[in-house]
Every structure is written in structure tokens, then in C-alpha cells.
Amino acid sequence: FSVGLILGLFLIASCSKNDPSEGGIEVNEATEQSTEIELTEAQFQTMKMEWGALHTGEFSEEIQVQGTVQIPVEGMREITTYFGGYVQDLKLIEGQEVRKGEVLFTLENPDFLRLQQDFLEINSQLAYLKAEWERQKTLAQEQISAQKNFLKAAADYDAASAKAQSLKKQLAMLGINADGLTPATMRSKISIPSPISGFVEEVLAVPGQFLPPAAKALTLMSKEHIHVELVLFEKDASKVHIGQIVEFTSPDSPDEVLKAKIKVVGKSINAQRQINVHADLLDEKEEAKLTPGMFLQARIQLDPQRSLAVPEESIIEVGEDHYILVQKSKSAGAFTLQKIKVTPGAKGKHYRAISTETALDSTVVVLVKGGFNLL
């Protein structure tokens, strides 16, 4: 082939590509400086463009946050005892469920017998001391006996009463009913019941061990009233308040969205410039799906704001900027479009909120489809 022939073929191909008679559609793309675009009816139909309306509605923005599943303080219990003793009948393992009132283990100590003995002894003396106090009171009133005898009888009775009441309360702390105590029902072993229904988080004692007073034997945890603890950055703190809805998912079920309502918003900012937000599940039955300590991805629904909105597909992204194309004028077989810069906001079901420096009203006609071909 000669050079002239090759050049001729190239020119023929170029002319054929840009000739509208061959079925091509020329589109005058808007330059960065230009804000207007000319569009013919033929171009509109060929590229299957569509017009849409500008809407006004309420839209709620979201804040993306992270959080964890937590248990309130009343759902966590450390099992300690008022009195020391040797651990017996401990058969629990971590993760095991327990019911409120269920015996966790028993403690054995000879000192428990001495407390019961002391109570029975002092309690048996009360009737005599009370009778002596009443007798001395009568004798003192009739001036038959000296006043000091009456005062001594009163002091003895009061001291015995106080000691009996003290021992009675100590026995109650051991779970022993002093009112029904007799020499035959005295025991050296006491039961430690579970104060809550839940599960065993940690076992710290072993059978046969002497557990000192106030030493921790077990930790229990209840999954009742489980809640979501969110971490919010300082810049978003002013946007959040009690009553807002939180949607969240867990790593185990990323497609299952659960909902909670904000109950408490922290009042102080920590060293990481964050605050904690407490939210309770709307449906308490869903608490069973969550595990304490579980990591969560959450979205806080902010208060809805009234805003202009367009169908989301009508927003055209150009670099870091966003635009919509509106119909400025219409003539026979042609349209003049105006490029308007917008800032996208919250998303609705079919629309997205926008803000713009250019004043727009409800009569504006927006290019919904095909605008990406023009910018």
C-alpha cells in the first residue's frame, strides 16, 4: 500500500464515524466553564433520556458508628460471702446457665454452729431477764427495792436483747431462719443461692478450698435487658439525643438489621474525644440473638430535615463535585439544559436530598436519565 492510500482510508473512516446520517449522535459535552448544554429532541430520544420532577420532603441523615453489646450493672454479679468457709458441692462450669435461687455451692464452717449456739443461749435468757426487769421495776415503784437494782435489771435485759437481735441478723446473712432454730436444727453447712438468672461467666473457687470472707467465688452474668453501647466522635455529639433510632448489624448476621432506641447520651468526652451512647433494643425478644461483648456496626438515624430532593440517578458525579441538569428552556426540537452544582444529602427510598446555592422551585424539570453522557 502506498502512503496516500493509507491516508485516504483513514479520512474516509473518520468522516463515517462523525456523520449523523450514518446513525451516530453528536453530543456537545459541557465544558468546566460552561453551565449550559444544547440538546436536540433526536439526541434525547436516541439516548433514552427521561425527565423528572424536583421534590420537597423530609430526609434523615445517618451517622455511621461502631459499638458493642453490653450488659447493665445489675446484670453482673460477683458471688462473695459474708463469712468464710470451706467450699463444698461446687459443680459449675463457665457458660452454664443458672436460675435465680438455685444453689451454686455450699460453705462449711464450725463457726456457723457457734453463732447458732450463741443465739439459742442468749434467746433462752431473754424471758428470765425480762421477768426480772419487770419485777425490779415494780419493787422500785413501791420503794421496796433500791433503784440501782432496777437499773441493773434493765441494762441486763437491753444488752441481751441487742445481742440476740445482732445474732439473728448474722444468721439471716447465712440464710438461717433464727425464729425456727432449735438445737436439733443447727447446721454447720450453708447454701449460697444465685441472686439472678443467667449464666456463669467465671469460676474462681474449687471444692475443698477455704474461701475467706468477701473473697470472690464466681461471677455471674444475666442476658436480660441487654443493650447496645455505641462510641460517638465529638464532632457528632450535638446531633444525637435520647429517642433517636439506631439500626445495627453483627458480624455473625450482616444481613439482619436490628433496631434500638437511644436511652442515654454521655455527658463527658473521653481522652480519645469520644462519648458513649446507650441504646435499648426495640424488641426485647431479639436480645437472645446477641452475645455480650459482640462487635457491632451501627447507623444512628438523625432527626429528619425538610429538603429539596431529586431522583438519585439524576445526580451526576464529576470528580469530587456533583451536578444535576435542569431544563432551562425548550424550543422546537431542542432543549437548553443548565448545569447546577449540588451537595447530596440524606437518601430516601427513591430520592436523595440536595442543597444548592442556586434557587430552585417545584416547577423545575430535572434530567433523570442519560445525564452522564453530557458531562
Side-chain angles (χ1 to χ4, degrees):
F1 292 102
S2 67
V3 175
L5 180 58
I6 295 173
L7 180 59
L9 291 172
F10 176 76
L11 291 173
I12 292 171
S14 299
C15 292
S16 175
K17 181 179 179 182
N18 290 288
D19 186 357
S21 66
E22 296 297 326
I25 295 294
E26 287 191 29
V27 177
N28 296 322
E29 296 184 356
T31 63
E32 292 185 5
Q33 293 78 20
S34 173
T35 61
E36 293 186 1
I37 303 170
E38 297 299 327
L39 181 69
T40 67
E41 181 72 34
Q43 291 169 339
F44 183 88
Q45 297 297 336
T46 301
M47 290 188 287
K48 298 181 180 180
M49 294 179 173
E50 291 183 14
W51 298 112
L54 188 69
H55 288 254
T56 302
E58 290 191 341
F59 293 83
S60 177
E61 292 188 19
E62 297 178 341
I63 298 178
Q64 302 284 340
V65 295
Q66 296 178 343
T68 54
V69 177
Q70 298 291 339
I71 286 178
V73 175
E74 63 268 23
M76 297 180 287
R77 295 295 176 91
E78 292 186 350
I79 306 302
T80 62
T81 60
Y82 297 108
F83 302 89
Y86 291 93
V87 177
Q88 304 290 338
D89 307 313
L90 177 59
K91 301 177 182 178
L92 299 173
I93 58 175
E94 294 178 359
Q96 183 174 339
E97 291 190 7
V98 294
R99 299 182 307 275
K100 184 176 181 179
E102 177 183 345
V103 175
L104 301 174
F105 59 93
T106 59
L107 278 183
E108 190 169 23
N109 194 329
D111 290 341
F112 301 157
L113 291 172
R114 282 190 282 273
L115 276 176
Q116 296 166 79
Q117 179 183 347
D118 291 345
F119 173 77
L120 290 175
E121 288 177 353
I122 197 68
N123 196 51
S124 66
Q125 298 175 22
L126 283 178
Y128 165 76
L129 293 173
K130 183 177 182 180
E132 179 64 15
W133 168 68
E134 292 176 344
R135 188 178 75 85
Q136 291 296 334
K137 180 179 179 181
T138 301
L139 294 175
Q141 289 173 345
E142 296 176 358
Q143 298 184 349
I144 298 175
S145 176
Q147 185 72 12
K148 66 177 183 178
N149 293 334
F150 164 67
L151 295 176
K152 184 178 184 305
D156 291 344
Y157 175 66
D158 289 342
S161 296
K163 185 174 182 180
Q165 287 299 316
S166 174
L167 291 169
K168 184 176 182 179
K169 292 185 181 299
Q170 290 181 62
L171 291 174
M173 294 167 71
L174 291 171
I176 298 175
N177 181 11
D179 292 333
L181 186 63
T182 65
T185 59
M186 292 171 59
R187 52 196 170 97
S188 62
K189 185 183 290 188
I190 62 169
S191 299
I192 308 299
S194 175
I196 60 172
S197 293
F199 62 93
V200 179
E201 182 187 28
E202 189 176 15
V203 179
L204 301 168
V206 295
Q209 169 191 353
F210 182 82
L211 191 68
K216 184 164 62 173
L218 304 168
T219 56
L220 304 181
M221 190 172 287
S222 171
K223 290 184 65 175
E224 293 183 5
H225 308 302
I226 209 167
H227 69 268
V228 175
E229 200 74 27
L230 306 173
V231 178
L232 189 68
F233 286 102
E234 178 182 8
K235 64 182 179 64
D236 296 321
S238 61
K239 304 175 185 177
V240 176
H241 61 76
I242 294 171
Q244 289 174 324
I245 300 300
V246 178
E247 294 184 346
F248 64 93
T249 59
S250 67
D252 295 339
S253 304
D255 297 328
E256 184 177 14
V257 179
L258 303 180
K259 291 186 177 182
K261 180 183 289 188
I262 294 178
K263 292 294 184 181
V264 178
V265 178
K267 303 301 181 183
S268 62
I269 298 173
N270 61 23
Q272 288 75 41
R273 313 310 299 170
Q274 299 169 335
I275 65 171
N276 290 331
V277 175
H278 169 114
D280 289 344
L281 271 71
L282 293 181
D283 186 354
E284 292 185 357
K285 295 179 181 178
E286 294 180 334
E287 292 179 358
K289 301 177 181 179
L290 303 176
T291 302
M294 177 183 287
F295 177 80
L296 303 173
Q297 292 283 0
R299 304 184 301 272
I300 300 176
Q301 305 290 327
L302 300 183
D303 294 338
Q305 302 291 329
R306 197 158 187 82
S307 175
L308 292 174
V310 293
E312 189 167 3
E313 58 268 33
S314 65
I315 300 176
I316 307 164
E317 185 175 354
V318 181
E320 296 182 355
D321 298 324
H322 297 80
Y323 299 91
I324 61 171
L325 296 176
V326 302
Q327 188 183 121
K328 184 178 180 181
S329 64
K330 179 180 180 181
S331 60
F335 304 97
T336 299
L337 307 182
Q338 183 178 4
K339 180 177 72 171
I340 296 178
K341 187 176 181 179
V342 299
T343 301
K347 295 181 181 180
K349 189 173 183 180
H350 300 292
Y351 291 87
R352 187 164 187 179
I354 59 169
S355 59
T356 175
E357 296 179 358
T358 305
L360 300 174
D361 57 39
S362 58
T363 63
V364 170
V365 178
V366 181
L367 186 65
V368 174
K369 291 185 178 179
F372 65 90
N373 293 317
L374 305 178
L375 293 183

